[in-house]
Amino acid sequence: NNSVNVSGATTISAIGTGGLGGNGGIDQAGGDGGDGFGGNAFLGNSGLATDDAADLNDGTSVAIIGDLTLENSGIGGDGGFGGSTFDPMGNGGDGAAGITELNVSLDQATVTAAGVSLTIGNLNALSNGFGGDGDIAGNGLGGVSSVTAVSNGELSIASINAEATGNGGNGRIGGDGLGGGAADPGNVDGGTGIGFRNGSIIIAGDAGFTATGFGGASTGGDGGAGMG
């Protein structure tokens, strides 16, 4: 039998942050910002213990965790400044989140309940994408935040805040903000949701799931699209 008992707050993160673009010389545009890609972060019996991971591989495992934060957001870097007031900034980098999911799935920040009893305090699952600012701003691509109990898993949570938002960067042309898609826990293209398959979920308090898209502002062209 395996057991984990953490009385305090727990944070598991795999955040990707793109670098800032360099400043240009006279008559030169700034450099482009780098892209940021969220990675993997696990807690449970996923069997996919890669990157930042806490893995429970036995079906008789019991885990009691205090407040839990999971985050694998992607943050694009800002473009560098031009060499003079007449030279443009570099373009902003894209920010693409991975997956924050209470289930077994590849490329995710996850708490898994599959033949395992998990008791968690307040859960904050963040899979947000932030595009960098720039001449052409970067796009923000939200990932997946979902809660699923499978294979006789028992999941008890005080409250849930799950986000998969996309936030476009600001620039001469604003970046697009693409939130997660439909409320489908198995949708690897993005989304927020809650579901179960031969398992049970008990939420004592509030549960909020957000998959909003926010387009970036523009200073002289088109603003970014916002798609939830």
Side-chain angles (χ1 to χ4, degrees):
N1 295 353
N2 297 316
S3 65
V4 176
N5 193 326
V6 181
S7 59
T10 299
T11 299
I12 300 176
S13 63
I15 301 169
T17 303
L20 301 176
N23 295 332
I26 299 300
D27 296 329
Q28 290 182 331
D32 293 342
D35 297 330
F37 299 96
N40 304 329
F42 298 94
L43 180 122
N45 68 332
S46 63
L48 299 172
T50 59
D51 296 345
D52 294 326
D55 202 33
L56 304 173
N57 288 310
D58 192 296
T60 59
S61 298
V62 176
I64 302 174
I65 310 294
D67 291 345
L68 175 63
T69 297
L70 300 173
E71 183 171 9
N72 60 355
S73 297
I75 304 170
D78 294 340
F81 290 103
S84 72
T85 56
F86 301 100
D87 299 320
M89 291 180 65
N91 298 326
D94 293 333
I99 302 174
T100 61
E101 185 175 6
L102 278 74
N103 192 10
V104 177
S105 183
L106 188 62
D107 295 332
Q108 60 189 348
T110 178
V111 174
T112 302
V116 174
S117 174
L118 295 178
T119 301
I120 303 170
N122 299 306
L123 172 65
N124 202 29
L126 306 175
S127 186
N128 300 322
F130 301 90
D133 295 341
D135 184 56
I136 300 176
N139 299 319
L141 310 175
V144 174
S145 287
S146 60
V147 178
T148 308
V150 299
S151 303
N152 298 315
E154 298 178 359
L155 183 59
S156 178
I157 307 174
S159 68
I160 299 174
N161 173 52
E163 299 178 5
T165 64
N167 303 269
N170 300 322
R172 180 179 60 84
I173 298 176
D176 294 337
L178 308 177
D184 179 1
N187 178 11
V188 297
D189 294 324
T192 63
I194 185 169
F196 58 91
R197 187 172 62 252
N198 298 323
S200 66
I201 301 173
I202 299 174
I203 304 170
D206 296 333
F209 297 84
T210 305
T212 306
F214 300 93
S218 169
T219 60
D222 295 331
M227 291 174 279

